[in-house]
């Protein structure tokens, strides 16, 4: 999981936006549409990032059929320190 | 130029394009994340970029070096093709 987090967030083109998504979801769960508004990124981009994050078990979608809320997984929370290490490296 | 060396030069060109994309992504990420991992990736991409540029230069300027032996040409082509697989896969995973 640690390696996956480093890859997802620092080594790829969309890494920075994925950090922003995780930070936003840490405050509260949100659906893709709200995330796109909040981060000022296109809906399609947010969808792609959410799919990548879900594939790596960082986020999961709630039950709803429509406007699904996304949550951080328990597994991710166990690696919260690694994420904070990575996000802490971001030069604002 | 011999066909095999021509093809090898073409593959080196494609490698160059991939490596330019990787260098751009990792340079931008390094400005954002000051991590050793990204610095390592960046150094890797730049070194490979220079390697491929040099290879292209040799293909065009030292044809006589390759013209003699078809086995050498074949080996050079195979090496370029393998590098394309490596660099291409990495580019795909990085741009996702």
């Amino acid at each position: 999981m640690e390696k996956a987090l480093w890859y997802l967030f620092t080594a790829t083109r969309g890494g920075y936006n994925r950090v922003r998504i995780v930070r936003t979801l840490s405050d509260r769960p949100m659906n893709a549409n709200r995330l796109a508004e909040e981060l000022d990124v296109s809906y399609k981009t947010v969808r792609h990032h959410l799919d990548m994050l879900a594939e790596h078990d960082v986020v999961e979608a709630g039950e709803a059929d429509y406007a699904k809320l996304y949550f951080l997984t328990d597994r991710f929370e166990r690696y919260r320190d690694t994420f904070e290490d990575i996000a802490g490296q971001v030069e604002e | 130029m011999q066909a095999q060396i021509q093809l090898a030069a073409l593959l080196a060109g494609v490698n160059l394009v991939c490596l330019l994309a990787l260098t751009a992504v990792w340079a931008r990420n390094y400005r954002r994340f000051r991590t050793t991992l990204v610095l390592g990736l960046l150094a890797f991409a730049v070194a490979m970029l220079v390697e491929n540029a040099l290879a292209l230069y040799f293909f065009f300027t030292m044809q006589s070096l390759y013209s003699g032996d078809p086995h050498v040409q074949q080996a050079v082509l195979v090496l370029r093709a393998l590098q394309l697989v490596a660099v291409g896969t990495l580019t795909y995973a990085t741009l996702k």
Side-chain angles (χ1 to χ4, degrees):
Chain A
M1 180 91 177
E2 261 177 73
K3 293 267 162 53
L5 293 180
W6 282 93
Y7 157 71
L8 268 176
F9 295 119
T10 72
T12 56
R13 185 173 55 160
Y16 180 60
N17 276 332
R18 294 200 261 266
V19 169
R20 295 172 70 215
I21 287 175
V22 170
R23 277 181 175 164
T24 309
L25 292 181
S26 299
D27 292 340
R28 64 196 172 88
M30 231 177 243
N31 67 42
N33 212 5
R34 274 302 311 274
L35 270 172
E37 274 174 36
E38 198 89 359
L39 301 175
D40 197 21
V41 183
S42 81
Y43 177 77
K44 229 185 114 198
T45 306
V46 167
R47 277 249 51 93
H48 167 75
H49 290 323
L50 286 173
D51 289 345
M52 283 286 285
L53 290 168
E55 210 176 289
H56 289 82
D57 206 15
V58 173
V59 304
E60 61 195 345
E63 300 285 290
D65 290 332
Y66 179 74
K68 271 188 193 133
L69 290 182
Y70 280 83
F71 301 81
L72 297 169
T73 62
D74 294 341
R75 180 143 178 256
F76 172 78
E77 292 298 351
R78 284 201 296 279
Y79 288 90
R80 170 65 74 173
D81 289 349
T82 306
F83 175 75
E84 295 302 338
D85 273 354
I86 294 168
Q89 302 283 342
V90 177
E91 303 257 304
E92 298 292 350
Chain B
M1 219 192 303
Q2 305 276 335
Q4 285 189 325
I5 289 302
Q6 253 173 352
L7 192 53
L10 180 72
L11 296 188
V14 179
N15 281 339
L16 262 178
V17 173
C18 288
L19 288 162
L20 279 172
L22 289 175
T23 305
V25 168
W26 288 333
R28 200 181 57 179
N29 280 17
Y30 185 65
R31 282 203 299 275
R32 280 187 180 141
F33 302 92
R34 298 270 158 181
T35 66
T36 332
L37 171 69
V38 184
L39 187 61
L41 292 170
L42 185 58
F44 167 82
V46 170
M48 294 292 277
L49 196 68
V50 174
E51 195 265 348
N52 276 280
L54 275 176
L56 261 183
Y57 172 78
F58 283 130
F59 289 148
F60 283 103
T61 57
M62 300 180 140
Q63 290 171 45
S64 55
L65 191 72
Y66 299 109
S67 62
D69 191 342
H71 294 299
V72 170
Q73 295 172 10
Q74 200 169 28
V76 167
L77 180 58
V78 168
L79 292 178
R80 286 295 132 192
L82 285 173
Q83 201 183 105
L84 180 63
V85 172
V87 171
T89 314
L90 193 53
T91 307
Y92 172 75
T94 300
L95 294 186
K96 268 183 96 174

